[in-house]
Amino acid sequence: MTLTGALLIGQNTVNRPETFQALNAATGEALDTAFSCATAEDAGTACTLADAAFDTFRATTPEARAQFLDCIAEEIESLGQPLLDRAHAETGLPLARLTGERGRTTGQLRLFAQELRAGRCLDARIDEALPDRKPMPRADLRQIRIGVGPVAVFGASNFPLAFSVAGGDTASAFAAGCPVVVRAHPAHPGTSELVGRAIQSAVKKCGLPEGTFSLLGGPDYTLGAELVRHPAIMAVGYTGSRSGGIALSKIAAARPVPVPVYAEMSSINPVYLLPEALKTRADALAAAFIGSLTMGAGQFCTNPGLILALSGPDLDRFCQSAQEALKTAAAPTMLTQSIHASYDAGVETLGSRPGVTLLGRGPHGEASGCQAAVFTTDAAHFLQDPVMQHEIFGSCSLIVACPDLETLLRLSRSLEGQLTATLHMEDADIATASQLMPVLERKVGRILANAWPTGVEVCAAMVHGGPFPATTDPRSTSVGTAAIERFLRPVCYQDLPDALLPAGLRSTNPLKLPRQTSH
């Protein structure tokens, strides 16, 4: 498929005179193809088309939407190697990583198709009429969940496939019956166009309204604001910086009709090295820590940015081993020059804080590579300095030594909301871990044992969310089948005749949905 640089608005391709080019992540050189910059008018057209498509799209059967999701997956797979090559050039991510990410993208599309076919997500409930109940009769009450309306989705910088145009936000919104307008990330417009054309093709093949999907691009952040302000948009899915998520949330809240912004933003993902685990395997933990920290240049929202442990010789041994492992750590290309500059600035800021000591740096690598950095401090300084909790997007982490368990617990209570927390422990650490658990359950969306947080399984039980600032809504997840719940709302039907009920609530249950029924 040849890149054109056009905007995809419904089934139309639109070219604009103002353009921009993608940059090669490794060299900084401009790549071929000039990409159109969407205007406020383009955003309005896409949103209006989405609004016009909504009633038709949401009325499709779960099976029809499942077939649509399957078709998107097939269309993406049919793009073949050119999709991976373009993503590699625009992001610097290795081809092997991108191959896996493509599989994750198509896999989660098919997972939501399976969820639709199971029917559980629609949560059909029936309380049949009780006309003879005393002292008051009960009406016939039936409930099902429907899509909230058109959704604006913002592509992420660090996952050009799995968290972008056809990523989890788009897949879950489509599954809910919601048209989607995607604001493509400006760092990988070619990748976005290729995937966008795959979705556009699937919309046409499945006979869906053209406004079911649109793709808008451009480097101007005002485009995103235009989308969120548009009255047709009923929800927003976003993965990115804390500042960007907060800005969009303020815009959405200031609308005449406020709408939810499901933003996944900032997390430093504390890792606890409990005493017996540290005593037993300090060296192995250190090696695994550096491997996790430097994977993908640390450009993961679940990167281990904070290590917590009790002071003592075992922690000293861990630090010495981590320092050695850093010397041969990888220095992969970072996604963009601006991300690289922000990383360097963050490392410099953290290193200048009172009480912070540099443990070590990784190799320099290429000019665009991420030079890993690990710092140490003590609990007293950490508790006094909120800057130490700021996420540094890249291979940077802070080790905090605590004098005793009570201080460790106090520090944990002071943490901001996080996506994950990890407990490295032995059986003898269970008592200590049990004291941490109530704190962590209030602070994070996922708690791990004896693993590293990088990597998120796409499945029914996964939670990729957490209290602010990890996300703007701790009740939600952006990964896993529960992600569909963000874009559904319940509607109750009281004493309506069968002919007016949604198919899933009719007496004959033609969709064969699982239903909760009381007589």
Side-chain angles (χ1 to χ4, degrees), residues 193-209:
E193 182 188 333
L194 291 172
V195 176
R197 286 184 175 275
I199 299 176
Q200 192 181 54
S201 176
V203 170
K204 187 174 183 179
K205 285 184 176 181
C206 294
L208 298 173

Side-chain angles (χ1 to χ4, degrees), residues 162-335:
F163 274 87
S164 289
V165 179
D169 288 341
T170 298
S172 55
F174 280 157
C178 299
V180 173
V181 180
V182 175
R183 192 262 194 257
H185 197 283
H188 41 79
T191 307
S192 297
E193 182 188 333
L194 291 172
V195 176
R197 286 184 175 275
I199 299 176
Q200 192 181 54
S201 176
V203 170
K204 187 174 183 179
K205 285 184 176 181
C206 294
L208 298 173
E210 67 163 332
T212 300
F213 172 75
S214 291
L215 175 68
L216 306 175
D220 192 341
Y221 290 117
T222 60
L223 172 62
E226 291 291 340
L227 282 179
V228 176
R229 287 193 186 99
H230 198 281
I233 296 298
M234 290 290 103
V236 178
Y238 170 88
T239 299
S241 68
R242 185 191 303 202
S243 60
I246 291 174
L248 294 178
S249 295
K250 288 180 178 178
I251 293 169
R255 289 175 28 155
V257 178
V259 296
V261 174
Y262 298 103
E264 189 258 285
M265 301 180 295
S266 176
S267 183
I268 55 175
N269 306 296
V271 176
Y272 293 81
L273 308 179
L274 298 187
E276 285 302 315
L278 197 56
K279 179 180 178 181
T280 304
R281 42 192 167 97
D283 295 335
L285 285 169
F289 161 54
I290 298 302
S292 176
L293 178 69
T294 58
M295 182 190 303
Q299 297 167 129
F300 295 95
C301 41
T302 52
N303 205 46
L306 183 66
I307 303 293
L308 301 171
L310 300 184
S311 306
D314 296 326
L315 179 57
D316 294 340
R317 185 158 53 93
F318 171 87
C319 290
Q320 291 168 5
S321 295
Q323 190 177 47
E324 282 299 312
L326 267 175
K327 294 177 182 178
T328 57
T333 298
M334 298 200 80
L335 293 160

Side-chain angles (χ1 to χ4, degrees), residues 68-435:
F68 174 48
L69 293 170
D70 285 339
C71 186
I72 296 171
E74 292 166 3
E75 291 289 321
I76 291 173
E77 288 168 346
S78 73
L79 294 171
Q81 191 64 32
L83 173 63
L84 304 180
D85 291 340
R86 183 70 191 197
H88 171 65
E90 291 182 331
T91 66
L93 295 172
L95 288 171
R97 148 77 191 270
L98 290 166
T99 301
E101 189 180 331
R102 179 181 59 185
R104 171 176 171 173
T105 305
T106 57
Q108 66 190 359
L109 286 161
R110 291 181 170 119
L111 180 66
F112 280 109
Q114 293 172 11
E115 187 72 4
L116 284 170
R117 290 183 172 111
R120 293 181 298 268
C121 57
L122 301 180
D123 195 20
R125 305 178 182 208
I126 297 176
D127 289 302
E128 295 179 352
L130 298 175
D132 298 324
R133 190 182 67 174
K134 304 296 181 183
M136 294 286 292
R138 184 176 77 188
D140 184 271
L141 298 165
R142 299 174 184 234
Q143 182 195 116
I144 201 167
R145 294 197 284 180
I146 68 169
V148 297
V151 174
V153 169
F154 288 72
S157 64
N158 58 336
F159 281 86
L161 300 174
F163 274 87
S164 289
V165 179
D169 288 341
T170 298
S172 55
F174 280 157
C178 299
V180 173
V181 180
V182 175
R183 192 262 194 257
H185 197 283
H188 41 79
T191 307
S192 297
E193 182 188 333
L194 291 172
V195 176
R197 286 184 175 275
I199 299 176
Q200 192 181 54
S201 176
V203 170
K204 187 174 183 179
K205 285 184 176 181
C206 294
L208 298 173
E210 67 163 332
T212 300
F213 172 75
S214 291
L215 175 68
L216 306 175
D220 192 341
Y221 290 117
T222 60
L223 172 62
E226 291 291 340
L227 282 179
V228 176
R229 287 193 186 99
H230 198 281
I233 296 298
M234 290 290 103
V236 178
Y238 170 88
T239 299
S241 68
R242 185 191 303 202
S243 60
I246 291 174
L248 294 178
S249 295
K250 288 180 178 178
I251 293 169
R255 289 175 28 155
V257 178
V259 296
V261 174
Y262 298 103
E264 189 258 285
M265 301 180 295
S266 176
S267 183
I268 55 175
N269 306 296
V271 176
Y272 293 81
L273 308 179
L274 298 187
E276 285 302 315
L278 197 56
K279 179 180 178 181
T280 304
R281 42 192 167 97
D283 295 335
L285 285 169
F289 161 54
I290 298 302
S292 176
L293 178 69
T294 58
M295 182 190 303
Q299 297 167 129
F300 295 95
C301 41
T302 52
N303 205 46
L306 183 66
I307 303 293
L308 301 171
L310 300 184
S311 306
D314 296 326
L315 179 57
D316 294 340
R317 185 158 53 93
F318 171 87
C319 290
Q320 291 168 5
S321 295
Q323 190 177 47
E324 282 299 312
L326 267 175
K327 294 177 182 178
T328 57
T333 298
M334 298 200 80
L335 293 160
T336 68
Q337 292 178 343
S338 62
I339 288 174
H340 191 282
S342 295
Y343 171 75
D344 286 344
V347 169
E348 183 177 354
T349 296
L350 181 57
S352 68
R353 306 308 294 177
V356 171
T357 302
L358 177 67
L359 179 69
R361 298 295 304 267
H364 277 282
E366 302 296 329
S368 58
C370 178
Q371 185 185 11
V374 177
F375 296 90
T376 63
T377 191
D378 57 58
H381 282 94
F382 184 90
L383 286 164
Q384 294 168 7
D385 191 349
V387 173
M388 294 188 197
Q389 291 204 45
H390 291 180
E391 180 187 32
I392 299 173
F393 191 61
S395 300
C396 180
S397 190
L398 177 64
I399 300 171
V400 182
C402 299
D404 50 46
L405 178 58
E406 184 53 45
T407 303
L408 179 64
L409 289 167
R410 183 158 60 94
L411 188 153
S412 300
R413 295 186 191 102
S414 76
L415 292 176
E416 296 182 318
Q418 308 289 336
L419 293 171
T420 72
T422 301
L423 299 168
H424 282 283
M425 59 186 184
E426 299 291 327
D427 288 346
D429 291 313
I430 293 292
T432 301
S434 67
Q435 295 185 64

